[in-house]
Amino acid sequence: MFSHKSLLLLSVFSLASHSLALPFEQRGFWDFGIDGDGGGSMTVMMRDEEEGSAVEELPPPDFHVCPFGCHCQLRVVQCSDLGLTEVPKNIPSDTKLLDLQNNRISELKENDFKGLSNLYALSLVNNKISKVHPRAFTPMRHLQKLYFSRNLLTAVPKNLPPSLVELRIHDNNIKKVPAGAFAGLSKMNCIEMGGNPIQNSGFEPGAFKGLKLNYLRISEAKLTGVPKDFPETLHELHLDNNKIQAIELEDLRRYKQLYRLGLGYNDIRNIENGSLSFVPNLRELHLENNRLTRVPKGLPDMKYLQVVYLHSNNISQVSIDDFCPRSFGVKRSFYNGISLYSNPVQYWEVQPATFRCVSDRMSIHFGNYKK
């Protein structure tokens, strides 16, 4: 008969033998369910599954299919540089940003963006798009940024989303902007449409009606003068790289809120006296690479003007009152940039007092003139 000590030693030995057993080796799928009760729990689970009382059928996992070749992450779908000839299918409905640039897409069909009501930004830059269905953008109720540059468009797409804030359609083949081209786009803030062969006559009266733009760029076009029918709300107007020959008295009358005016790289020979008085809030004026022979009149009266680009013109003389007013206190913002290099002006002959309203001498840029 075993004593109490013998029984205790036997129990300890039994536990030790279990602890020294070989590591668990899975031999089948259900091995993970076998526990220390000899498989009783697994038996109960299998019996309950047969009776339909313990285990319910789970729904399939919720995941989105990413279009073949694209990268999908955090509601951003990138399908650029894939040689696509059409908008891919199965784009997740929660997509916020869709990148389709640098492909070979030639047409936008009616249902290409079906279900993409959450889209915020769409990039179609550098494709071959020449045809857009009138209802292609209908599903996009929240689209704010549309990048359509470097395509083959011959007209502004119709029925753009009313939610649109920014539109970039430069480097296309648009020659005409008809009346009502931007109708219903009351939230539009920025339009970039340079690089299109648009002439002044290409803008029909009312083309920008209803818009309250802050920024407009029509550079590298075929403008011969400043159009007079742009939105009067503009803070920035860029018309560089055109064929504008002069600024007439009435050209800027409509744009009283301008902060920045870009007229560089034109053929401007003359700016009529009094023209700049219509833009009293101007901060920055670009007139570089033109054919001016003198500093424009009216600069001393512009209280907030800080930057003037006049380099690469034909200015041969700078007078003492060309930039600064005679009366003290008239100029509220001192100049922090005046460029006069690449002009036939003898800078050593310019009186120091000419720049009395400049914040720092380093703000004046002269240079050697070589013709």
Side-chain angles (χ1 to χ4, degrees):
M1 182 177 294
F2 293 103
S3 64
H4 291 291
K5 290 183 178 181
S6 299
L7 288 173
L8 179 61
L9 289 173
L10 184 60
S11 300
V12 172
F13 177 79
S14 178
L15 290 172
S17 63
H18 278 289
S19 65
L20 295 175
L22 293 175
F24 171 75
E25 180 180 357
Q26 182 186 359
R27 298 181 181 277
F29 176 80
W30 294 113
D31 288 350
F32 283 115
I34 301 175
D35 52 23
D37 64 0
S41 298
M42 176 57 64
T43 304
V44 173
M45 186 181 76
M46 293 177 69
R47 184 178 67 250
D48 287 341
E49 183 175 2
E50 291 176 358
E51 296 175 357
S53 59
V55 178
E56 297 181 1
E57 184 177 353
L58 297 176
D62 184 18
F63 63 92
H64 297 292
V65 177
C66 189
F68 180 77
C70 302
H71 297 280
C72 302
Q73 186 177 14
L74 300 176
R75 299 182 181 179
V76 174
V77 178
Q78 293 179 302
C79 302
S80 60
D81 302 279
L82 295 178
L84 300 175
T85 57
E86 61 182 12
V87 177
K89 308 297 182 183
N90 301 321
I91 299 172
S93 59
D94 64 346
T95 301
K96 290 285 188 180
L97 190 155
L98 177 57
D99 179 9
L100 293 170
Q101 62 182 328
N102 301 325
N103 281 292
R104 299 177 183 176
I105 301 171
S106 60
E107 180 182 356
L108 297 184
K109 303 181 181 67
E110 180 177 2
N111 295 319
D112 277 350
F113 304 107
K114 185 177 180 180
L116 299 182
S117 59
N118 295 308
L119 205 60
Y120 171 84
L122 172 62
S123 178
L124 295 161
V125 175
N126 197 26
N127 275 276
K128 300 181 181 297
I129 301 171
S130 60
K131 186 177 180 181
V132 180
H133 193 279
R135 295 180 57 82
F137 298 109
T138 301
M140 304 179 189
R141 298 193 298 270
H142 299 98
L143 190 70
Q144 293 192 26
K145 298 179 182 293
L146 177 57
Y147 302 139
F148 228 130
S149 304
R150 293 196 288 278
N151 275 279
L152 302 176
L153 295 176
T154 57
V156 177
K158 295 182 178 180
N159 301 320
L160 293 171
S163 57
L164 209 59
V165 174
E166 180 179 346
L167 174 64
R168 299 185 180 272
I169 52 175
H170 60 278
D171 290 329
N172 277 275
N173 194 33
I174 300 173
K175 297 180 180 180
K176 185 178 181 180
V177 183
F182 303 103
L185 303 179
S186 59
K187 297 181 180 179
M188 185 74 77
N189 180 67
C190 167
I191 293 181
E192 159 67 86
M193 56 186 308
N196 286 285
I198 305 177
Q199 300 180 2
N200 285 67
S201 59
F203 296 103
E204 292 187 358
F208 294 87
K209 185 178 180 180
L211 292 184
K212 297 180 180 179
L213 293 181
N214 174 65
Y215 178 100
L216 177 62
R217 180 185 290 274
I218 307 179
S219 59
E220 300 177 85
K222 295 185 177 181
L223 301 179
T224 56
V226 178
K228 300 178 176 61
D229 197 29
F230 291 156
E232 58 185 14
T233 56
L234 285 173
H235 287 166
E236 291 194 36
L237 176 59
H238 299 272
L239 303 174
D240 43 291
N241 282 283
N242 276 283
K243 298 180 179 181
I244 300 173
Q245 298 180 9
I247 305 299
E248 299 178 354
L249 185 61
E250 299 294 318
D251 283 350
L252 302 176
R253 178 183 288 275
R254 184 176 176 85
Y255 313 122
K256 294 180 174 61
Q257 299 186 42
L258 280 182
Y259 288 169
R260 184 176 287 113
L261 176 59
L263 294 167
Y265 293 87
N266 277 280
D267 296 322
I268 300 174
R269 299 171 182 269
N270 180 54
I271 297 178
E272 193 171 350
N273 291 350
S275 300
L276 297 177
S277 64
F278 294 113
V279 285
N281 297 313
L282 205 64
R283 269 69 167 171
E284 189 171 315
L285 177 60
H286 289 253
L287 287 166
E288 71 274 13
N289 287 87
N290 277 283
R291 299 188 181 186
L292 295 172
T293 57
R294 65 178 185 179
V295 177
K297 298 294 182 182
L299 297 185
D301 300 323
M302 305 186 74
K303 298 179 181 180
Y304 305 103
L305 190 62
Q306 299 174 19
V307 177
V308 183
Y309 291 91
L310 290 167
H311 56 270
S312 300
N313 277 278
N314 295 321
I315 300 172
S316 59
Q317 185 177 0
V318 177
S319 301
I320 195 170
D321 294 326
D322 277 348
F323 293 99
C324 303
R326 287 182 176 270
S327 302
F328 178 77
V330 174
K331 195 90 169 81
R332 296 188 181 181
S333 298
F334 278 24
Y335 292 101
N336 53 46
I338 296 177
S339 67
L340 284 163
Y341 61 87
S342 293
N343 277 289
V345 58
Q346 307 297 329
Y347 63 89
W348 55 84
E349 294 182 358
V350 179
Q351 297 296 319
T354 302
F355 304 110
R356 56 190 178 275
C357 58
V358 178
S359 60
D360 186 87
R361 65 179 183 176
M362 299 300 293
S363 301
I364 307 165
H365 301 280
F366 277 109
N368 294 329
Y369 175 77
K370 296 181 179 179
K371 195 70 174 178

